[in-house]
Structure formats: structure tokens, C-alpha cells
Amino acid sequence: MNQKILKTLEYQQIKKMLQEHVLTAFGQEKVAQLAPINDAELIQVMLNQTKDGVDIERLKGGIPLPQLENVRPHLKRIEIGAMLNGRELAQLGRVLRATSATVRFFEELAKSEMPLQALPELVDQLVTLPQLTERIRSSVADDGAVLDTASTKLRGLRSGLKQLEGQIRSRMDSYTHGSKAKYLSDPIVTIRNDRYVIPVKQEYRGQFGGVVHDQSASGQTLFMEPQAIMDLNNRLRQLQIEEQQEIERILAELSEAIMPERHQILANAELLGELDFVNAKAQLAKTLKATEPLINLENHVDLKQARHPLIAAEKIVANDITIGADYQAIVVTGPNTGGKTITLKTLGLLQIMAQSGLFIPAREESQVGVFSDIFADIGDEQSIEQNLSTFSAHMENIIQILDQIDDHSLVLLDELGAGTDPQEGAALAIAILDQIGIVGANVVASTHYPELKIYGYNRPQTINASMEFDVATLQPTYRLLIGVPGRSNAFDISTRLGLPESIVNQAKQLMTDDSQDLNNMITDLENQRKAAETEYQALRYEVTEATDLHQQLSTAYQQFFEDRETEMTKAKEKANQIVEKAEEKADKVITNLRQMQLNQGAQIKENQLIDAKTTLNELHQETALKKNKVLQRAKRQQTLKEGDEVLVTSYGQRGTLLRQIDAHNWEVQMGIIKMKIDSADIEKQKVVEDQRPQRQVTTVNSGGMRHVKAQLDLRGKRYEEAMGEVDQYIDAALLANYQQVTIVHGKGTGAIRQGVQEYLQGNRQVKKYEYAPSNAGGNGATIVTFK
């Protein structure tokens, strides 16, 4: 895209705003390289990255990145075999640590299922180097100092240095605080030439012996190394040399370790810079209250409530700007200082921002095109050096534009044809617009010429527009009105300012009929627009009210279902608690039956079974019949007579009616027992012929027993425990009237399997047993069939 348009629309100011938000050197490079492009796919990728950055900024406060220096020179030095210093290694270490932290950050985002479109693909290119990262971290501090933990030898040398320095200071203290302190200029210990010295008065230098390393400017003080500590200072200097040699060895080893990873480290640094750039775009969007533009490949531009990004939001008036769909050219008319130039700049700058992958200060769902280039002739282009008039400068610029445009261009022309004779200027303006229309480029032109108002009305694919002017206040409103040409307000303004009405009327008579008709047409259009706007506002209010009501109903509807689910869950939990309690009671009944069977042999008395059955039936809570009219009617319709087969509901047992004792009671034969039963507890049963041979042992057929599972799992249990469970389970299954059950004992050592089969072989109620099919466990499970 041509550089002149970027300067004209102040694109550099947008880049300066971005620069304020970047933290890394490579991020600064990305901002400096930013420019609009015309590749629709690449623009969409850049917008997707910005969208991800905005989402992360909103939910997580942005991608956590530190300040990072430019490490490219360091890596080039390593490539030629140079050794890096501690500061350079520390900067590389920060890049490696930032890489690991960024990868972890996006892994956490993935776990939270935050939807991202483009950044995960970018982050996947980051390569962490944990060993090298930890080695640099434990060897070099952030300020470049080599740490004690860099090597065992360095730790030992520094420990020795501290001890030796302590000894030297202790010996020197004897001079500064002892009897010889009077020979010193100051009772202090200092360092000269990396050796500890004391300041001795010139006349007392013989009191200490040793070496003079320096003297004061006046020569009255000598900095002497006493003879008594020269050996200690020599040893100290030797340790310092060894320390420095060890530091250089460590730095050389770290530089050598970075050598094979230099390309990946550079790639990581550049990727972190790109993520930093995304952060900056997201923060700029937040500052401008910008939204994601939608790309329209047919170059249909539809900006909703667009604002100029370089003007404070409280000072700018937002406007809807549309071009490319229903019309290819817009002719904007209106008074000076009405906002025509700002409107043109807003359209151009927002389009350039979008083609740079930036969000734009407009309402959501705004559409932008993908133009091959954008051209503008805006402002005073007069060149004093070229000795050109304003008109000449504009014409030269327009000529260059006409030579470069194509059918995918956007052209912005401010005060087209101005600076010359009005008739000639208007004619040239019309011819220029016709030429742009022939090429097929989109164009927005502002002008004062009334002839162009007629042009905008008559030409196809062309529409008039104007900047609204409030006659009551004599001030522009800066609102763009598409479809309404601007009209001259000279007469109204003159009248309000006090010009005699006779003069105004005379001026009106001097106007041509065409001009008067044009103004009348514009006035009529404005009145129609205001009426339509009033109706629109009323309809919008009604739509808003209906939308709010619909939202409230939707919320209430959703809340109803949520409350219903909550209550259902509570009811199920309560039911489960009741079932658990019932199962506990049923288990006690079964245990009592089993105990009676063990104590009394195989036969259980009929009345004992009935009592147990009664206890189980008491666990079932019947629904009140008074609320069920169908059941009440069915119960009233049934007639009882002697000899009928009935079910005694309170005991869960079948019996035969012997005789009716009174209006409410019957004598019922249940097994060997005769009982007096209330009619309400009796249900007439259909007689079913039972061809099966009768068992010797009476079983209790109770719905309450059906909680016994058809499969027993013994896996993981000890032998004694398993055998006890088998015994109890077989009894429970018989009481539940099961015909067949499965015992899962596993394969293992075979001890439990053998014990189970021995038990089954000795149980008289077992008809047969066999291994399960291969697809149901094979010899790890036994299927038991009862008689």
C-alpha cells in the first residue's frame, strides 16, 4: 500500500499507541514492521490472533510476558565462537524461562477449555529447553553475576575468600582500634590495587613497614599494606584469580551449551515477540473500545457508529458509513467545519487498521473490504517549493491517483475541484468522478458545488450525503446523513443573525429557479428523513421492550427447568435414602429367616413366612387412593365371592375366600392359616394354572425382596469371607424367587472357585451349575440354576 496514504491518515500515530504496550525488543520490531496488506486470508489470521489476545486480556489479564532484550547479537557472537558475559547469558536465560512460562500458561488455558482460534498454532512452535533453562538459571543471576551454585569449585573458592577476608579484616582492626591507631589519618580499612590497606600519616610510615600502594593528593597520607598481612593479601589475590578463572570457565561452558540451540532460542524469542505484539493489539483494542471487523471479500464496507481513533471518544460523533454494496460513489456536501474531512479520514484509517489485523473503533458486526490500495487527496497539498497553487497541487495529486487506481481501490477526495472557477471546478469534479466510476473503484468525495448534488441524484451507483447542520443553534452536529444532499443555510443563518428580511427575500428572488427547486427538494428530503427517524426511534423502543420481555420470559423459562431439575434431584436423593433404609430392614428380615431356617431345619412354618412377608410389605408406601379416582372406581367395580383367588395386600400373600364375615371383613385361607381380613386389603386375582411341581420349601414371593442382585462378585475377598457371602446370597436369591444367578469368583489360585462349587454341590435347592460362556467370564464365573 502506498506510503503517502499512511502519512495522510496519520497511521504512524496508531503504531505509536501500539508501541506503548509492547515489552519485548522483538515486539517493538513487529510494531515497526506493521503495515496494511491486501491478502484476505492473512488478514483474517491476524484478526483471529487479535481476537484471541482480546479474549485472554478480558479473562486472564493478558499473556504474562516479561521485558526481553534483543538477543539476536548475542546468538551471532556465539555462532562465531565468542564467549558471552554474564549479562548476555542472563538475557538468554530470561527468554528460555519466558518460553516455558508461556507454554504452561497456554496449557492451563487449554484445560479451562477457553476457545482460541489462532494463538495455539503459534504457541505450538515454541520449544522448551528445560535442562539448558535450569542450568542458566542456577548459574547466572538476572543482573549477570555468576552464582555460587554454578559449580562446586566456585562455591568452595568463594567460601575460602570470605574466611580469608575475615582474617585480614580482623588483623587490620588491630591497627585501626589498637595502640597504633594514633598513627593513622582515619581509623578505616580500605582497598587499593585489590589489596587491603590502611591510611598512614606520612611521618609514621616506618611504624608499620610493608608496601605503599597509593597516597593522598596532598601527600600527607599513605595507603600502606602492613608487612604483617602481606602473606594474607597474597593468598587472597591468588584465590581471586582462581575465582575469576572459574567464572570464565563456567561462562565458556554455558556459551558452548547454547551453541547447538541458538537457532531455536532465536525462534522462541521471535515468537514471544509476536505474542507480545498480540498483547499490544489487545490492549489497544481495550483502550479504543474497538471491536472485530468482519471481512467482506466483495468490498462492501458497512461501518456502524464508526469513530476516529485519534480523537477523544467524548469529543467525536460516531457515524454509520456504508459504501460498495448499493452504491460505488458517495458525494458529501455541507458547510465548512461540518466534519466532512474527519468522516473521510475515519473511513480510510479504519479500513487501513482492519487490513493491518487491528480491531476498529466501531460497533460489532461492522464490515470492511480488502482493497488493493487506498488513495486520498485530503487537506492543503500546496507546494511552495514547486511554486504550485492549491488547485494545481490538488490536480497533480489526483492525476497520480487516476494513473494507479483499479477496481479494487478506495479513493477519498476532499473538496474535489476547489480552488478555481466554480463552473470549471464543478465540471472537472464530475469528469473525475465519472472516470473513477468507469474504472470501478469506490470513491467518497466532499464538495461545495451544487452541481454535484444533481450528479449524486442522477448517476447510477452514486448517492448524496451531507453533514447535518442545526439551524436552531447555527452549529454543525457532525452527523453523516446518507441519501440527503447538503443544502445552503445562508438565508436561514442571515435571518437569525439579524439581516433585514427584505434583503433576504431579494436574494431569494435573484436565485435561479433550478437552485431554488434544489433547495426545496433538499428541505423536503430532510423533513422526510426526520419523520422516518422519529418513526424508527419509536419502533426501536417497541422492539427493545419486546426483546426485554422475551429475555425475561426466556430467563423465567430456563429458571423453571433448572428449579424442576433441582427438585427432581432432591426427590431422587430422598428416595434413595428411603430405599437404603428399606434395604437395611429387609436385610434384617432375611437374616432372621435364615437364622430360623438354621435353627429349625429346612422347613419354615407358614405363619413365620407370612409375618416376615408382612414386615417387608410395611416398607412399601402406598399412594393414597383418594387422589386416584381411576383406582377407586376399579376397586368399587370388583365383586368378591366365596372361592375367589385373592391377594392379601397387607401380607403380600395369595389366598382363597372362605366366607364373608360382615360387610367389611372376609375369612381368607392362606396356606394352612385362616385369617380375618379387611375387604380394603383384598384384591381379586385371575386363576392361573401352575403346571410346575410344588416345592417342599415354601418361598416368600415379595416385591420387597427384589433388591437382591442377580450376580454376586467375590473377587478380592478372602476364602472364609467369600464362603459366608455365598451362603447368605443363595438364601437371599431363593427368597427372592430367582430361577438363575451368577457367582463371579475370578480365576486366581482357584481356591474360591473350588469352594463355591463344593458348596453348590451340597445345596439341595441347586438344580445345576456350570461355568459362564467365554464372552461372559468363562471359568471365572459360575451360573447357578435353582430347582
Side-chain angles (χ1 to χ4, degrees), residues 87-102:
R87 182 183 59 82
E88 294 169 329
L89 286 168
Q91 291 175 1
L92 288 171
R94 279 197 290 274
V95 170
L96 291 171
R97 293 199 299 275
T99 300
S100 300
T102 302

Side-chain angles (χ1 to χ4, degrees), residues 500-524:
E501 188 173 350
S502 60
I503 298 177
V504 174
N505 290 334
Q506 184 179 359
K508 288 181 179 180
Q509 292 175 2
L510 293 174
M511 288 184 63
T512 64
D513 292 339
D514 291 342
S515 298
Q516 188 63 38
D517 290 343
L518 178 61
N519 277 336
N520 292 336
M521 179 189 72
I522 294 172
T523 302
D524 185 55

Side-chain angles (χ1 to χ4, degrees), residues 90-163:
Q91 291 175 1
L92 288 171
R94 279 197 290 274
V95 170
L96 291 171
R97 293 199 299 275
T99 300
S100 300
T102 302
V103 170
R104 287 195 300 271
F105 176 77
F106 277 89
E107 286 175 350
E108 292 299 320
L109 285 183
K111 292 178 182 177
S112 66
E113 298 183 355
M114 180 178 178
L116 298 176
Q117 302 178 69
L119 290 188
E121 182 177 351
L122 200 65
V123 173
D124 287 343
Q125 300 175 42
L126 290 172
V127 176
T128 58
L129 303 169
Q131 294 181 349
L132 183 58
T133 303
E134 178 58 26
R135 187 173 178 184
I136 295 177
R137 187 198 64 79
S138 62
S139 300
V140 183
D142 285 342
D143 60 359
V146 178
L147 301 171
D148 294 352
T149 53
S151 73
T152 305
K153 182 178 179 180
L154 183 62
R155 185 187 296 111
L157 288 171
R158 287 181 173 174
S159 177
L161 281 169
K162 289 180 181 179
Q163 293 178 6

Side-chain angles (χ1 to χ4, degrees), residues 2 77 279 297 319 386 406 421 504 548 578 584 726 744 746:
N2 70 90
R77 290 186 58 222
N279 255 355
L297 298 179
N319 276 305
Q386 297 177 8
D406 58 24
D421 178 77
V504 174
D548 291 342
I578 295 172
E584 291 177 1
V726 169
V744 180

Side-chain angles (χ1 to χ4, degrees), residues 16-32:
K16 284 183 179 179
M17 296 173 70
L18 275 173
Q19 291 280 9
E20 296 174 0
H21 298 294
V22 292
L23 297 173
T24 68
F26 286 101
Q28 295 280 354
E29 287 185 6
K30 292 291 295 183
V31 174

Side-chain angles (χ1 to χ4, degrees), residues 309-530:
L310 301 180
I311 301 177
E314 62 272 12
K315 296 181 180 180
I316 192 68
V317 174
N319 276 305
D320 294 340
I321 307 174
T322 305
I323 189 172
D326 298 326
Y327 35 86
Q328 160 263 334
I330 301 177
V331 179
V332 185
T333 53
N336 288 329
T337 69
K340 297 191 300 295
T341 303
I342 288 297
T343 300
L344 265 62
K345 285 187 173 182
T346 300
L347 170 60
L349 185 53
L350 265 59
Q351 182 63 50
I352 287 176
M353 288 176 64
Q355 289 188 224
S356 302
L358 301 175
F359 279 18
I360 60 174
R363 245 175 47 196
E364 293 181 351
E365 305 299 323
S366 292
Q367 295 186 33
V368 295
V370 180
F371 294 101
S372 59
D373 213 333
I374 300 176
F375 301 93
D377 180 57
I378 297 176
D380 189 357
E381 300 282 351
Q382 181 176 359
S383 173
I384 297 176
E385 292 181 0
Q386 297 177 8
N387 195 25
L388 299 175
S389 67
T390 300
F391 176 77
S392 298
H394 279 300
M395 280 299 104
E396 188 175 81
N397 194 20
I398 290 173
I399 290 169
Q400 293 176 359
I401 291 173
L402 292 175
D403 287 339
Q404 299 177 60
I405 62 173
D406 58 24
D407 60 345
H408 286 83
S409 298
L410 173 64
V411 182
L412 308 173
L413 302 175
D414 190 27
E415 299 296 345
L416 180 60
T420 188
D421 178 77
Q423 287 186 338
E424 293 180 354
L428 279 172
I430 291 173
I432 291 169
L433 289 176
D434 279 343
Q435 181 60 34
I436 295 175
I438 291 172
V439 174
N442 289 342
V443 58
V444 181
S446 67
T447 182
H448 284 294
Y449 296 137
E451 291 86 351
L452 289 181
K453 301 175 186 177
I454 304 297
Y455 175 87
Y457 184 77
N458 291 328
R459 285 295 193 279
Q461 292 292 305
T462 304
I463 192 168
N464 279 307
S466 61
M467 304 306 298
E468 187 180 49
F469 188 86
D470 189 343
V471 181
T473 62
L474 303 181
Q475 294 291 329
T477 65
Y478 305 106
R479 291 183 59 203
L480 177 66
L481 304 177
I482 299 289
V484 179
R487 69 183 181 92
S488 173
N489 298 292
F491 294 154
D492 293 333
I493 294 173
S494 299
T495 301
R496 288 183 177 276
L497 291 177
L499 189 68
E501 188 173 350
S502 60
I503 298 177
V504 174
N505 290 334
Q506 184 179 359
K508 288 181 179 180
Q509 292 175 2
L510 293 174
M511 288 184 63
T512 64
D513 292 339
D514 291 342
S515 298
Q516 188 63 38
D517 290 343
L518 178 61
N519 277 336
N520 292 336
M521 179 189 72
I522 294 172
T523 302
D524 185 55
L525 284 173
E526 286 186 346
N527 292 335
Q528 292 180 25
R529 179 192 61 80
K530 290 180 179 178

Side-chain angles (χ1 to χ4, degrees), residues 567-594:
E567 294 301 321
M568 287 291 291
T569 301
K570 290 180 180 178
K572 289 178 181 178
E573 291 175 352
K574 188 174 181 180
N576 288 336
Q577 294 174 358
I578 295 172
V579 169
E580 289 174 0
K581 293 180 180 178
E583 287 178 344
E584 291 177 1
K585 294 181 179 179
D587 288 341
K588 291 180 180 179
V589 171
I590 293 172
T591 302
N592 292 335
L593 284 173
R594 185 181 297 109

